[in-house]
Amino acid sequence: MTHVARLTTALVAAAALVITVPSTAQASAVGSTPVRTFEYTVGGMTMKVPTGCMFTHIIRGGGRKITYQNAGVDCAFVGALSSGFCNWRIDFTYADTRNKTYRTSRGRTHSECKIDPMRSNSPQTLPRYGKACAHLAVNGVRRVSQCHHITK
């Protein structure tokens, strides 16, 4: 084996060692759910949300500790041309492994119409494993949810 070949082999082995060193456990989850077409009435006007919108929920953290959480709607194609979502609110809920909700972070209701409603929640440590969910309510009716399991 030549000197260059030995050096290359040593560098590859060292790089593999660096890559396999365990670090602090971090987890992140991103999930999207389509927003189904629906109609609702605001001030006597009928509003229609067409297809083409996705509700996305993002969580970052490790174990029961959530360092970042955000949920919002992205619309494309025909959905992007609509008047959006009026009287909207995004809630975050937390449930244990038996699916019993033990905490709700209710968002503020926004009276304006918005094509891309979004909300972030503050970092927190959950008391139990289970699941974290985000829910979009429009005009007081829950329209779409997206959940992530929080496990050991």
Side-chain angles (χ1 to χ4, degrees):
M1 192 181 254
T2 68
H3 177 64
V4 174
R6 274 183 279 197
L7 181 60
T8 303
T9 304
L11 287 173
V12 169
L17 240 160
V18 170
I19 292 170
T20 60
V21 172
S23 61
T24 307
Q26 291 293 311
S28 62
V30 177
S32 296
T33 302
V35 179
R36 296 179 191 257
T37 299
F38 64 94
E39 291 183 356
Y40 61 102
T41 305
V42 175
M45 287 184 57
T46 299
M47 310 292 277
K48 182 175 183 176
V49 175
T51 58
C53 297
M54 298 293 282
F55 184 61
T56 301
H57 180 207
I58 302 168
I59 291 183
R60 289 189 196 122
R64 291 179 291 125
K65 184 177 177 107
I66 296 173
T67 57
Y68 175 83
Q69 187 172 200
N70 177 281
V73 177
D74 291 305
C75 295
F77 308 112
V78 177
L81 301 175
S82 78
S83 57
F85 303 86
C86 306
N87 297 327
W88 64 272
R89 160 181 112 238
I90 295 175
D91 299 332
F92 294 101
T93 60
Y94 307 92
D96 61 22
T97 54
R98 291 172 301 188
N99 210 27
K100 181 168 174 35
T101 300
Y102 62 84
R103 183 183 297 169
T104 299
S105 174
R106 185 180 168 107
R108 161 175 96 78
T109 298
H110 299 263
S111 58
E112 77 277 4
C113 299
K114 196 162 185 183
I115 192 64
D116 58 351
M118 185 184 317
R119 177 178 175 221
S120 292
N121 204 15
S122 57
Q124 59 189 300
T125 300
L126 303 177
R128 303 169 190 71
Y129 288 101
K131 68 180 180 177
C133 299
H135 312 278
L136 173 68
V138 177
N139 220 24
V141 177
R142 185 182 286 180
R143 296 296 180 171
V144 63
S145 298
Q146 214 294 316
C147 299
H148 297 291
H149 291 278
I150 309 292
T151 59
K152 292 181 183 180

